[in-house]
């Protein structure tokens, strides 16, 4: 059982590590970004609201995000732990999460801070391609599909996420440095944050995470 957060800038590889972690620890992967994208795809009210912000690389308003995240955490499958990815993203969200967990007599075991340089982030984000059908992720240089533009797993068409263009990506990184980075200090105070090098290979990064989580 482990309650953990993956912190780190856009493009740090949170999604890749999350996939491996949920398999190893048998905990649900809660990605607020995925929840929003799913809602956009299905044309819900929530999706319409979130889309305005996401397409500009801005943050979705705190209260909306907090409600979505805590609703998800109330589900039964989170009783034995969870992996939060992309939430919290502001100090306000972190405080709300702490309050929510405290109200249930729970607390975070570990906060994992994935560290990658801004320059590397831009390369990763703008080269990222995702499968329209199954969501698998590729990279035009680092991890190209066998057939260009086609998913190795299901044959689906690969597309670029709406917010992965250069301009929006730059803004997302700025927003991260301004709004989310202060969370490192916030969790430094509670003493349960660990810093993991996200510039080495995905396998090596995962090994380091497992060392920390046990
Ligand atoms: P990445 O980590 O690659 O930027 P995510 O999929 O986590 O991507 O998030 C994509 C977008 O969804 C963000 O840029 C933001 O607009 C919105 N979003 C996701 N989570 C949050 C959050 N906790 N608070 C505010 N906005 C969020
Ligand atoms: Zn696919």
């Amino acid at each position: 059982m482990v309650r953990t957060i993956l912190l780190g800038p856009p493009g740090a590889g949170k999604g890749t590590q999350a996939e491996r972690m949920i398999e190893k620890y048998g905990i649900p992967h809660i990605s607020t970004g995925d929840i929003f994208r799913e809602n956009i795809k299905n044309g819900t009210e929530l999706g319409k609201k979130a889309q305005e912000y996401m397409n500009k690389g801005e943050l979705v308003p705190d209260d909306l995000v907090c409600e979505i995240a805590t609703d998800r955490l109330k589900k039964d499958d989170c009783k034995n732990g969870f992996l939060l990815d992309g939430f919290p993203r502001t100090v306000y969200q972190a405080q709300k999460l702490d309050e929510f967990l405290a109200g249930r007599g729970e607390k975070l075991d570990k906060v994992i801070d994935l560290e990658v340089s801004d320059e590397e982030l831009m390369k990763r984000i703008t080269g990222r391609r995702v499968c329209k059908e199954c969501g698998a992720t590729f990279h035009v240089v680092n991890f190209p599909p066998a057939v260009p533009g086609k998913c190795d797993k299901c044959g689906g068409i690969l597309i670029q996420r709406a917010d992965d263009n250069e301009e929006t990506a730059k803004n997302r990184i700025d927003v991260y440095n301004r709004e989310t980075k202060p969370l490192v200090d916030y969790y430094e105070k509670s003493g349960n944050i660990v810093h993991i090098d996200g510039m080495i290979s995905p396998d090596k990064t995962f090994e380091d995470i497992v060392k920390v989580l046990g």
Side-chain angles (χ1 to χ4, degrees), residues 111 113 115 182-195:
V111 176
D113 175 34
E115 297 180 318
L183 285 185
V184 171
D185 268 345
Y186 180 89
Y187 288 120
E188 214 74 73
K189 284 182 190 122
S190 50
N192 55 358
I193 189 167
V194 286
H195 306 281

Side-chain angles (χ1 to χ4, degrees), residues 35-55 60-61 64:
I35 294 175
F36 291 139
R37 277 186 290 276
E38 189 62 28
N39 275 276
I40 291 173
K41 202 164 129 194
N42 297 330
T44 68
E45 269 319 298
L46 172 65
K48 280 180 200 139
K49 274 190 211 155
Q51 192 166 27
E52 296 173 42
Y53 300 95
M54 289 174 78
N55 285 347
V60 175
L64 188 59

